[in-house]
Structure formats: C-alpha cells, structure tokens
C-alpha cells in the first residue's frame, strides 16, 4: 500500500494527521467516537452512523477481517473511518472497495479527549493533503449543516415495504428509520414474521399487525414530524416497541422533549440500570440525541454514566422503548430478552 499523507480537520481548526488507507477523496460529517473493542464492520454499516466520521478508540481495527454476516445493511453509512492502527489489509481493501475514506495513524486518544471536552463537531477526513489543503477543507467544513436539526431517516429507509421473514407465530411490522439487520434476525429468532415499512406508513395498516417495532436510525428526532405523528396514531391501538431513534420518537409522541447530547453514547460497554428490578445491563449504544430527563414513572431505565433516560414503559398506551440496542450487533447479549419477551407477549387479547 502506497503511503499518502491525509488528515482530519475539525470545525474548531484542530488537525489530526494520519495515513490514507481507504478510498481517495474527502469525507464530511460529524466527528464522533465509539468505545467498542470489536464490531468495526457492524459499526460502519449501521445506518445510525449516517453523516458521521467514526473514530474507533480501540488501538487496532481490522485485525479479524471482514465477513458478509457482519453487515448491518447493504453498504457503509459512516462517511469516514479514523483509526490509531490498521489491523489488516482485508479491512482496508473492504473500505476502499466501498468508497469509504479512512485514515490510520490518527492520535485517536487525543481526538476522543477533544470531542469529550468540546462536544461532537463537524469535520473532514481528507485522504491527500496535497489535493486539498487544510485551509480549504476547514472552510468547507464550516459550511456543512449541523447534526442538530438534521432529518436523515429518508436517506436510509426502505422506499417500499418488504418481508424478510415470511413466517412466524406473530406478525411484526418494523418502521424502518435505518433498521439494522440484527433487529430482524432477533425478531425471527423469537418466532415473528417480519414486514419492514418505510419511515412514514399508514398507521391503520400498521395497526393490523400483532406489534409494531420502531427501529434505530440517524439524525435528530425533533424534525421528524410525520414520523412522530404516525407513532402517536398507533398508541393504544397496537403494542409498540421503540429502539434508539424509535425510543426518542415514542418519547416525543408521548409528550416528552428530546435534546442533543454533548458527545453521545457509542460503544458496547454502557451500563444501564433497570429501575424496576435493580439489575444492571451492559449495553450496546449509538446515539447522539436523548429524551429529556423527568421524574415520570414511565422512565424504566437510566444510564449509569450520566443519568440519561434509557427506557420507557407506557402501559396505558401499550408501548415501551429502550435507548440502547437490545439486538446488540455488535455488543453484549444482556438485553436480548427484551426483544424476546416483547414478541412472546404479542398475539394475545388486547
């Protein structure tokens, strides 16, 4: 591999230099970090990372190769990949073949500390400084839209309904805001037939299913007015389970507010307290927005890092949600029973 000098520039002017190991060009996005030690392929193909430059805090990335079953969608959604050390040429080739700008040799510790101190920032990953000087890239970064206010689900959602799992004890509709394949796999493992719908669908049709799952997805939930209206129209009519962005949309539909976290929660080692049982779950997370804390009894789960609301239960609305990813993909399996229990409770009397 020919070494080319690349760099990352943040909107505050901070520059981190590295070596280009991905495709040639420039990638713009919000610079964020994930603390997951494994799961790099799942991370890059997770639609929730749309419009983001992902910094991996693990010291080596790519050391166990790539495989088709680890894909969480058809293609990468992260715009750029930032690493301390490239762990294998197979990973680099995979990134190049899919048009992802990637840099290794980045001081990821310093970058993570910068993001923690100043918050997630817009940035540009540039494969060749000779082709795009820092000053020009910085000017372009500052013209990019902010993540706050960004409605991104239309870019990652299916355009037409489809049924990846045709048979099962119950029928589940998944509203696709950027759904990971792991969600469908866990639903199928729990004996659910699954139909995936676009991000805005007819609530009357959705209400004919045994349950509706609101998926994960990218961007700010607040501008998703149509999506929130669909969720509100489902409440009380059919069991609803929200995951990640789906949790935030359920919160909005139930009258709560959302806000942007300083640097988000991304990784596979986040402790969450289930307030009902006192049990602590180690969870997989990927979100930059959250539902505003309140004293409401509906909040069933809270983050042990910062008190962020991590789950809701609205029995009167037949709805519940979790901010974390119970399907993992990647991550620990502590929360797998959440999906299984929800599916097991479907199909009975209302």
């Amino acid at each position: 591999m020919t070494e080319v000098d690349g760099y990352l520039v943040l909107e505050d002017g901070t520059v981190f230099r590295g070596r280009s190991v991905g495709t040639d060009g420039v990638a713009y996005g919000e610079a964020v970090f994930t603390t997951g030690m494994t799961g790099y392929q799942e991370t890059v193909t997770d639609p929730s990372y749309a419009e983001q430059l992902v910094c991996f805090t693990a010291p080596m990335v790519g050391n166990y190769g790539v495989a088709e079953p680890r894909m969480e969608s058809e293609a990468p959604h992260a715009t750029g990949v930032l690493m301390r050390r490239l762990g294998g040429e197979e990973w680099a080739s995979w990134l190049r073949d899919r048009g992802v700008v990637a840099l290794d040799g980045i001081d990821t510790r310093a970058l993570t500390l910068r993001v923690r101190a100043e918050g997630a920032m817009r940035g540009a990953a540039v494969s060749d400084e000779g082709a795009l000087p820092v000053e020009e890239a910085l000017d372009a970064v500052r013209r990019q839209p902010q993540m706050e206010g960004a409605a991104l689900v239309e870019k990652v959602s299916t355009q037409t309904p489809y049924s990846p799992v045709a048979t099962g004890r119950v029928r589940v509709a998944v509203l696709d805001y950027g759904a990971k394949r792991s969600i469908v796999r866990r639903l199928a493992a729990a004996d659910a037939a699954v139909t995936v719908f676009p991000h805005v669908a007819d609530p009357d049709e959705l209400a004919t299913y045994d349950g509706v799952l609101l998926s994960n997805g990218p961007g700010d939930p607040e501008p998703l007015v149509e999506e929130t209206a669909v969720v509100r129209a489902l409440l009380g009519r059919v069991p609803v389970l929200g995951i990640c962005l789906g949790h935030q949309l359920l919160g909005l539909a139930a009258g709560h507010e959302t806000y942007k976290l300083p640097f988000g929660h991304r990784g596979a080692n986040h402790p969450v307290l289930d307030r009902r049982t006192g049990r602590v779950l180690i969870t997989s997370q990927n979100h930059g927005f959250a539902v505003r804390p309140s004293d409401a009894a509906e909040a069933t789960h809270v983050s042990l890092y910062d008190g962020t609301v991590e789950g809701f239960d609205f029995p009167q609305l037949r709805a519940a949600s979790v901010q974390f990813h119970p399907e993992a993909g990647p991550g620990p399996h502590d929360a797998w029973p959440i999906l299984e229990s929800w599916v097991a409770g479907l199909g009975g009397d209302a």
Side-chain angles (χ1 to χ4, degrees):
M1 181 189 299
T2 302
E3 292 200 12
V4 178
D5 292 332
Y7 64 90
L8 167 74
V9 59
L10 300 178
E11 65 179 278
D12 67 354
T14 306
V15 177
F16 297 88
R17 302 191 181 279
R19 175 183 67 137
S20 176
V21 295
T23 195
D24 295 334
V26 56
Y28 297 99
E30 181 185 45
V32 299
F33 65 87
T34 175
T35 57
M37 295 296 290
T38 60
Y40 45 85
Q41 188 178 357
E42 293 93 331
T43 295
V44 172
T45 57
D46 179 350
S48 295
Y49 278 105
E51 306 298 329
Q52 290 181 324
L53 304 166
V54 182
C55 168
F56 289 92
T57 62
M60 180 182 289
V61 180
N63 49 309
Y64 57 82
V66 294
E68 179 62 26
R70 301 188 195 120
M71 298 283 286
E72 287 294 346
S73 63
E74 290 290 338
H77 288 278
T79 58
V81 170
L82 309 167
M83 303 169 284
R84 179 68 185 90
R85 182 180 175 188
L86 175 69
E89 175 57 28
E90 185 181 10
W91 172 233
S93 296
W94 186 93
L95 292 166
R96 286 195 297 273
D97 291 345
R98 287 156 182 80
V100 180
V101 175
L103 303 173
D104 87 333
I106 295 290
D107 187 342
T108 54
R109 182 175 184 274
L111 173 55
T112 299
L113 291 173
R114 188 73 180 173
V115 171
R116 279 184 60 89
E118 303 298 331
M121 286 181 273
R122 294 168 296 176
V126 180
S127 66
D128 185 356
E129 186 170 359
L132 181 64
V134 171
E135 294 76 12
E136 294 181 23
L138 179 58
D139 183 61
V141 165
R142 290 171 174 167
R143 294 196 304 269
Q144 299 300 308
Q146 299 276 3
M147 186 61 72
E148 196 164 10
L152 302 179
V153 297
E154 187 174 4
K155 297 181 179 181
V156 298
S157 175
T158 182
Q159 298 302 304
T160 56
Y162 66 98
S163 298
V165 184
T167 60
R169 183 187 64 83
V170 294
R171 298 165 61 243
V172 172
V174 174
L175 274 170
D176 178 16
Y177 308 129
K180 295 164 58 182
R181 289 177 174 175
S182 291
I183 292 176
V184 174
R185 286 196 292 267
R186 293 311 307 163
L187 291 172
D191 200 15
V194 180
T195 300
V196 180
F197 284 85
H199 58 106
V200 174
D202 180 2
D204 291 334
E205 181 178 3
L206 295 171
T208 66
Y209 284 76
D210 295 303
V212 177
L213 188 143
L214 316 174
S215 84
N216 63 291
D220 187 346
E222 190 172 353
L224 302 180
V225 176
E226 287 186 85
E227 291 82 353
T228 303
V230 170
V231 175
R232 189 177 295 114
L234 292 171
L235 297 181
R237 301 175 63 188
V238 61
V240 172
L241 178 67
I243 293 176
C244 198
L245 179 61
H247 158 83
Q248 297 161 17
L249 292 175
L250 177 60
L252 288 171
H256 292 270
E257 297 179 348
T258 58
Y259 67 104
K260 194 175 192 304
L261 293 165
F263 50 83
H265 295 171
R266 297 175 181 87
N269 55 353
H270 289 247
V272 169
L273 173 67
D274 185 336
R275 296 171 62 191
R276 300 164 299 183
T277 66
R279 185 185 178 201
V280 174
L281 306 176
I282 304 303
T283 66
S284 177
Q285 301 206 12
N286 172 18
H287 63 107
F289 293 83
V291 180
R292 192 168 298 283
S294 72
D295 295 328
E298 295 98 337
T300 56
H301 297 73
V302 295
S303 168
L304 292 181
Y305 281 155
D306 58 9
T308 300
V309 174
E310 294 281 348
F312 281 125
D313 185 21
F314 301 104
Q316 72 281 13
L317 301 178
R318 305 177 70 191
S321 63
V322 288
Q323 178 63 80
F324 50 90
H325 287 257
E327 78 287 351
H333 298 164
D334 291 23
W336 267 10
I338 291 174
L339 272 173
E340 295 166 352
S341 297
W342 182 71
V343 172
L346 299 178
D349 294 334

mmCIF file of all heavy atoms in Angstrom, residues 217-243:
data_model
loop_
_atom_site.group_PDB
_atom_site.id
_atom_site.type_symbol
_atom_site.label_atom_id
_atom_site.label_comp_id
_atom_site.label_asym_id
_atom_site.label_seq_id
_atom_site.Cartn_x
_atom_site.Cartn_y
_atom_site.Cartn_z
ATOM 1 N N GLY A 217 -32.030 4.628 14.003
ATOM 2 C CA GLY A 217 -31.814 5.443 12.822
ATOM 3 C C GLY A 217 -30.964 6.657 13.141
ATOM 4 O O GLY A 217 -30.666 6.936 14.306
ATOM 5 N N PRO A 218 -30.563 7.410 12.118
ATOM 6 C CA PRO A 218 -29.652 8.548 12.299
ATOM 7 C C PRO A 218 -30.373 9.875 12.487
ATOM 8 O O PRO A 218 -31.570 10.002 12.241
ATOM 9 C CB PRO A 218 -28.878 8.552 10.977
ATOM 10 C CG PRO A 218 -29.920 8.122 9.979
ATOM 11 C CD PRO A 218 -30.786 7.111 10.697
ATOM 12 N N GLY A 219 -29.609 10.867 12.921
ATOM 13 C CA GLY A 219 -30.074 12.241 12.910
ATOM 14 C C GLY A 219 -30.881 12.650 14.127
ATOM 15 O O GLY A 219 -30.974 11.944 15.128
ATOM 16 N N ASP A 220 -31.458 13.830 14.015
ATOM 17 C CA ASP A 220 -32.205 14.487 15.084
ATOM 18 C C ASP A 220 -33.668 14.049 15.011
ATOM 19 O O ASP A 220 -34.303 14.158 13.958
ATOM 20 C CB ASP A 220 -32.090 16.000 14.889
ATOM 21 C CG ASP A 220 -32.676 16.818 16.030
ATOM 22 O OD1 ASP A 220 -33.413 16.258 16.857
ATOM 23 O OD2 ASP A 220 -32.389 18.028 16.083
ATOM 24 N N PRO A 221 -34.242 13.570 16.120
ATOM 25 C CA PRO A 221 -35.657 13.168 16.075
ATOM 26 C C PRO A 221 -36.630 14.335 15.975
ATOM 27 O O PRO A 221 -37.751 14.177 15.467
ATOM 28 C CB PRO A 221 -35.838 12.414 17.402
ATOM 29 C CG PRO A 221 -34.818 13.005 18.313
ATOM 30 C CD PRO A 221 -33.632 13.309 17.437
ATOM 31 N N GLU A 222 -36.252 15.509 16.448
ATOM 32 C CA GLU A 222 -37.207 16.610 16.560
ATOM 33 C C GLU A 222 -37.838 17.019 15.234
ATOM 34 O O GLU A 222 -39.044 17.291 15.178
ATOM 35 C CB GLU A 222 -36.550 17.815 17.233
ATOM 36 C CG GLU A 222 -37.554 18.906 17.590
ATOM 37 C CD GLU A 222 -36.931 20.001 18.436
ATOM 38 O OE1 GLU A 222 -35.773 19.870 18.853
ATOM 39 O OE2 GLU A 222 -37.632 20.997 18.694
ATOM 40 N N PRO A 223 -37.075 17.095 14.123
ATOM 41 C CA PRO A 223 -37.724 17.491 12.867
ATOM 42 C C PRO A 223 -38.558 16.397 12.209
ATOM 43 O O PRO A 223 -39.182 16.649 11.171
ATOM 44 C CB PRO A 223 -36.540 17.883 11.977
ATOM 45 C CG PRO A 223 -35.387 17.134 12.512
ATOM 46 C CD PRO A 223 -35.610 17.029 13.987
ATOM 47 N N LEU A 224 -38.609 15.206 12.792
ATOM 48 C CA LEU A 224 -39.345 14.086 12.193
ATOM 49 C C LEU A 224 -40.825 14.179 12.590
ATOM 50 O O LEU A 224 -41.363 13.330 13.304
ATOM 51 C CB LEU A 224 -38.728 12.762 12.620
ATOM 52 C CG LEU A 224 -37.234 12.588 12.273
ATOM 53 C CD1 LEU A 224 -36.729 11.241 12.753
ATOM 54 C CD2 LEU A 224 -37.009 12.745 10.765
ATOM 55 N N VAL A 225 -41.489 15.190 12.083
ATOM 56 C CA VAL A 225 -42.873 15.473 12.480
ATOM 57 C C VAL A 225 -43.828 14.406 11.963
ATOM 58 O O VAL A 225 -44.700 13.921 12.700
ATOM 59 C CB VAL A 225 -43.295 16.866 11.957
ATOM 60 C CG1 VAL A 225 -44.758 17.141 12.281
ATOM 61 C CG2 VAL A 225 -42.398 17.942 12.551
ATOM 62 N N GLU A 226 -43.679 14.018 10.701
ATOM 63 C CA GLU A 226 -44.577 12.996 10.142
ATOM 64 C C GLU A 226 -44.382 11.656 10.834
ATOM 65 O O GLU A 226 -45.356 10.948 11.135
ATOM 66 C CB GLU A 226 -44.324 12.849 8.642
ATOM 67 C CG GLU A 226 -44.821 13.983 7.784
ATOM 68 C CD GLU A 226 -44.650 13.669 6.315
ATOM 69 O OE1 GLU A 226 -45.529 13.006 5.735
ATOM 70 O OE2 GLU A 226 -43.610 14.076 5.746
ATOM 71 N N GLU A 227 -43.127 11.301 11.071
ATOM 72 C CA GLU A 227 -42.840 10.034 11.731
ATOM 73 C C GLU A 227 -43.436 9.997 13.136
ATOM 74 O O GLU A 227 -44.012 8.991 13.564
ATOM 75 C CB GLU A 227 -41.329 9.806 11.787
ATOM 76 C CG GLU A 227 -40.673 9.529 10.452
ATOM 77 C CD GLU A 227 -40.359 10.785 9.643
ATOM 78 O OE1 GLU A 227 -40.768 11.894 10.064
ATOM 79 O OE2 GLU A 227 -39.730 10.652 8.594
ATOM 80 N N THR A 228 -43.307 11.113 13.849
ATOM 81 C CA THR A 228 -43.874 11.187 15.201
ATOM 82 C C THR A 228 -45.390 11.087 15.163
ATOM 83 O O THR A 228 -46.007 10.441 16.030
ATOM 84 C CB THR A 228 -43.445 12.503 15.883
ATOM 85 O OG1 THR A 228 -42.012 12.580 15.908
ATOM 86 C CG2 THR A 228 -43.964 12.577 17.308
ATOM 87 N N ALA A 229 -46.013 11.686 14.168
ATOM 88 C CA ALA A 229 -47.471 11.621 14.042
ATOM 89 C C ALA A 229 -47.945 10.189 13.813
ATOM 90 O O ALA A 229 -48.987 9.777 14.352
ATOM 91 C CB ALA A 229 -47.939 12.528 12.903
ATOM 92 N N VAL A 230 -47.195 9.427 13.023
ATOM 93 C CA VAL A 230 -47.545 8.019 12.807
ATOM 94 C C VAL A 230 -47.478 7.253 14.122
ATOM 95 O O VAL A 230 -48.372 6.466 14.462
ATOM 96 C CB VAL A 230 -46.617 7.384 11.751
ATOM 97 C CG1 VAL A 230 -46.824 5.867 11.699
ATOM 98 C CG2 VAL A 230 -46.864 7.994 10.381
ATOM 99 N N VAL A 231 -46.401 7.470 14.885
ATOM 100 C CA VAL A 231 -46.258 6.783 16.172
ATOM 101 C C VAL A 231 -47.411 7.164 17.100
ATOM 102 O O VAL A 231 -48.021 6.298 17.752
ATOM 103 C CB VAL A 231 -44.905 7.125 16.828
ATOM 104 C CG1 VAL A 231 -44.815 6.508 18.224
ATOM 105 C CG2 VAL A 231 -43.753 6.639 15.956
ATOM 106 N N ARG A 232 -47.739 8.440 17.160
ATOM 107 C CA ARG A 232 -48.826 8.897 18.032
ATOM 108 C C ARG A 232 -50.150 8.235 17.646
ATOM 109 O O ARG A 232 -50.964 7.884 18.521
ATOM 110 C CB ARG A 232 -48.936 10.420 17.950
ATOM 111 C CG ARG A 232 -49.887 11.019 18.970
ATOM 112 C CD ARG A 232 -49.901 12.534 18.898
ATOM 113 N NE ARG A 232 -48.613 13.109 19.277
ATOM 114 C CZ ARG A 232 -47.811 13.779 18.457
ATOM 115 N NH1 ARG A 232 -48.166 13.948 17.176
ATOM 116 N NH2 ARG A 232 -46.660 14.257 18.867
ATOM 117 N N ALA A 233 -50.362 8.034 16.348
ATOM 118 C CA ALA A 233 -51.603 7.421 15.877
ATOM 119 C C ALA A 233 -51.681 5.938 16.214
ATOM 120 O O ALA A 233 -52.772 5.354 16.188
ATOM 121 C CB ALA A 233 -51.747 7.615 14.364
ATOM 122 N N LEU A 234 -50.546 5.314 16.523
ATOM 123 C CA LEU A 234 -50.521 3.890 16.866
ATOM 124 C C LEU A 234 -50.762 3.636 18.351
ATOM 125 O O LEU A 234 -51.167 2.532 18.742
ATOM 126 C CB LEU A 234 -49.170 3.285 16.481
ATOM 127 C CG LEU A 234 -48.848 3.186 14.994
ATOM 128 C CD1 LEU A 234 -47.395 2.768 14.810
ATOM 129 C CD2 LEU A 234 -49.775 2.197 14.306
ATOM 130 N N LEU A 235 -50.511 4.629 19.189
ATOM 131 C CA LEU A 235 -50.523 4.421 20.633
ATOM 132 C C LEU A 235 -51.904 4.020 21.128
ATOM 133 O O LEU A 235 -52.914 4.668 20.805
ATOM 134 C CB LEU A 235 -50.045 5.679 21.347
ATOM 135 C CG LEU A 235 -48.597 6.102 21.045
ATOM 136 C CD1 LEU A 235 -48.213 7.341 21.822
ATOM 137 C CD2 LEU A 235 -47.629 4.962 21.338
ATOM 138 N N GLY A 236 -51.928 2.939 21.883
ATOM 139 C CA GLY A 236 -53.173 2.413 22.413
ATOM 140 C C GLY A 236 -53.881 1.446 21.489
ATOM 141 O O GLY A 236 -54.820 0.754 21.912
ATOM 142 N N ARG A 237 -53.456 1.374 20.228
ATOM 143 C CA ARG A 237 -54.122 0.518 19.243
ATOM 144 C C ARG A 237 -53.416 -0.814 19.042
ATOM 145 O O ARG A 237 -54.050 -1.814 18.702
ATOM 146 C CB ARG A 237 -54.220 1.243 17.898
ATOM 147 C CG ARG A 237 -54.985 2.543 17.945
ATOM 148 C CD ARG A 237 -54.936 3.256 16.604
ATOM 149 N NE ARG A 237 -55.580 2.488 15.552
ATOM 150 C CZ ARG A 237 -55.540 2.829 14.259
ATOM 151 N NH1 ARG A 237 -54.871 3.919 13.874
ATOM 152 N NH2 ARG A 237 -56.167 2.096 13.349
ATOM 153 N N VAL A 238 -52.099 -0.816 19.213
ATOM 154 C CA VAL A 238 -51.283 -1.994 18.925
ATOM 155 C C VAL A 238 -50.036 -1.909 19.800
ATOM 156 O O VAL A 238 -49.554 -0.803 20.087
ATOM 157 C CB VAL A 238 -50.908 -2.034 17.421
ATOM 158 C CG1 VAL A 238 -50.082 -0.813 17.019
ATOM 159 C CG2 VAL A 238 -50.176 -3.310 17.052
ATOM 160 N N PRO A 239 -49.498 -3.030 20.269
ATOM 161 C CA PRO A 239 -48.252 -2.969 21.040
ATOM 162 C C PRO A 239 -47.114 -2.364 20.216
ATOM 163 O O PRO A 239 -46.918 -2.720 19.053
ATOM 164 C CB PRO A 239 -47.972 -4.440 21.372
ATOM 165 C CG PRO A 239 -49.313 -5.089 21.342
ATOM 166 C CD PRO A 239 -50.072 -4.395 20.246
ATOM 167 N N VAL A 240 -46.382 -1.452 20.831
ATOM 168 C CA VAL A 240 -45.292 -0.746 20.163
ATOM 169 C C VAL A 240 -44.027 -0.897 20.997
ATOM 170 O O VAL A 240 -44.061 -0.769 22.224
ATOM 171 C CB VAL A 240 -45.622 0.756 19.987
ATOM 172 C CG1 VAL A 240 -44.406 1.531 19.476
ATOM 173 C CG2 VAL A 240 -46.820 0.937 19.053
ATOM 174 N N LEU A 241 -42.910 -1.168 20.323
ATOM 175 C CA LEU A 241 -41.598 -1.194 20.974
ATOM 176 C C LEU A 241 -40.649 -0.312 20.183
ATOM 177 O O LEU A 241 -40.487 -0.489 18.968
ATOM 178 C CB LEU A 241 -41.033 -2.618 21.038
ATOM 179 C CG LEU A 241 -39.639 -2.741 21.662
ATOM 180 C CD1 LEU A 241 -39.674 -2.388 23.152
ATOM 181 C CD2 LEU A 241 -39.060 -4.140 21.466
ATOM 182 N N GLY A 242 -40.021 0.652 20.860
ATOM 183 C CA GLY A 242 -39.064 1.544 20.210
ATOM 184 C C GLY A 242 -37.641 1.211 20.591
ATOM 185 O O GLY A 242 -37.369 0.839 21.733
ATOM 186 N N ILE A 243 -36.726 1.342 19.622
ATOM 187 C CA ILE A 243 -35.304 1.112 19.845
ATOM 188 C C ILE A 243 -34.532 2.339 19.351
ATOM 189 O O ILE A 243 -34.700 2.756 18.202
ATOM 190 C CB ILE A 243 -34.805 -0.143 19.107
ATOM 191 C CG1 ILE A 243 -35.434 -1.406 19.708
ATOM 192 C CG2 ILE A 243 -33.280 -0.246 19.146
ATOM 193 C CD1 ILE A 243 -35.067 -2.682 18.957
#
